[in-house]
Amino acid sequence: MDVTTPTNAPWLIVGLGNPGPGYERNRHNVGFMVADLLAERVGGRFKRAGKAQAQVVEGRIGPAGPANRRVVLAKPMSFMNLSGGPVNALKDFYKVPVANIVAIHDELDIDYGVLRLKLGGGDNGHNGLKSMTKAFGAEYHRVRFGIGRPPGRMQVADFVLKDFSSSERKELDYFVDRAADAVEALVIEGLERAQSTYNS
């Protein structure tokens, strides 16, 4: 087991996105999509988390026994560039070490549907990560979901705030499912084993 995964501390798994129906299927909201699927898997429904500006589901993942993990799934209800505040509040409330935080987010510099798992690093211009790193440092895990680069001269901001294309949507459910599998593997098996399986 990794030294970064103490069994007595919960994991805080954060899907990054923007709240509201207008953003629901945007590329920038793929973190929310993965978090929603993980909530289904643990049999929970997102609900407002006390004073934190976030929705949460508490549950457990993994087989019975020592590999079983207590998790808090979260969706910040601030906008993307303010994600750090709600996540920091949840971190403090649930007493989660920074190394037990997982951010699920869209990644421009990776081809569509490709996953990369890592611990720490820069924000690569992603405003959600930038806000989280400013709030509590960079040493949290990331599950990076590739969305590719904008076509032609389209601005990055326009691209990430558009829905996935019709051709992308044909495979979206599969890729979201695989990303949820990767999150579970990270939490249960540790980063290196999850990377060897999912860092395609």
Side-chain angles (χ1 to χ4, degrees), residues 83-110:
S83 300
V87 178
N88 199 39
L90 294 172
K91 173 184 77 70
D92 291 346
F93 180 78
Y94 288 102
K95 299 180 171 54
V96 178
V98 173
N100 277 32
I101 297 174
V102 181
I104 311 162
H105 64 93
D106 57 304
E107 179 60 64
L108 286 159
D109 287 337
I110 303 174

Side-chain angles (χ1 to χ4, degrees), residues 55-134:
Q55 292 183 352
V56 300
V57 170
E58 296 179 47
R60 302 192 79 92
I61 62 173
N68 193 256
R69 299 282 182 267
R70 186 159 66 97
V71 297
V72 179
L73 307 172
K75 297 193 296 186
M77 290 290 109
S78 60
F79 281 91
M80 180 72 85
N81 60 351
L82 300 173
S83 300
V87 178
N88 199 39
L90 294 172
K91 173 184 77 70
D92 291 346
F93 180 78
Y94 288 102
K95 299 180 171 54
V96 178
V98 173
N100 277 32
I101 297 174
V102 181
I104 311 162
H105 64 93
D106 57 304
E107 179 60 64
L108 286 159
D109 287 337
I110 303 174
D111 290 341
Y112 174 60
V114 173
L115 298 176
R116 292 281 187 275
L117 284 64
K118 70 173 190 170
L119 174 64
D123 56 59
N124 203 24
H126 193 288
N127 288 330
L129 299 182
K130 193 176 295 183
S131 179
M132 287 176 62
T133 296
K134 185 177 178 184

Side-chain angles (χ1 to χ4, degrees), residues 2 4 20 30 35 37 41 48 51 58 63 73 76 82 86 90 99 109 123 130 132 137 143 146 162 183 199-200:
D2 290 357
T4 54
V30 74
L37 179 56
R41 291 184 180 185
R48 181 71 70 172
K51 294 179 180 178
E58 296 179 47
L73 307 172
L82 300 173
L90 294 172
D109 287 337
D123 56 59
K130 193 176 295 183
M132 287 176 62
V143 173
K162 280 195 172 2
V183 172
N199 278 20
S200 44

Side-chain angles (χ1 to χ4, degrees), residues 1-2 4-5 11-13 61 67 69 71 99-104 116-119 140-144 178-199:
M1 187 192 312
D2 290 357
T4 54
T5 57
W11 283 78
L12 177 56
I13 300 169
I61 62 173
R69 299 282 182 267
V71 297
N100 277 32
I101 297 174
V102 181
I104 311 162
R116 292 281 187 275
L117 284 64
K118 70 173 190 170
L119 174 64
Y140 53 91
H141 288 84
R142 298 101 189 275
V143 173
R144 305 156 72 202
R178 191 165 184 271
D181 290 346
V183 172
E184 291 181 345
L186 168 61
V187 170
I188 296 164
E189 301 172 13
L191 178 61
E192 286 186 16
R193 287 188 65 179
Q195 283 175 323
S196 69
T197 304
Y198 293 98
N199 278 20

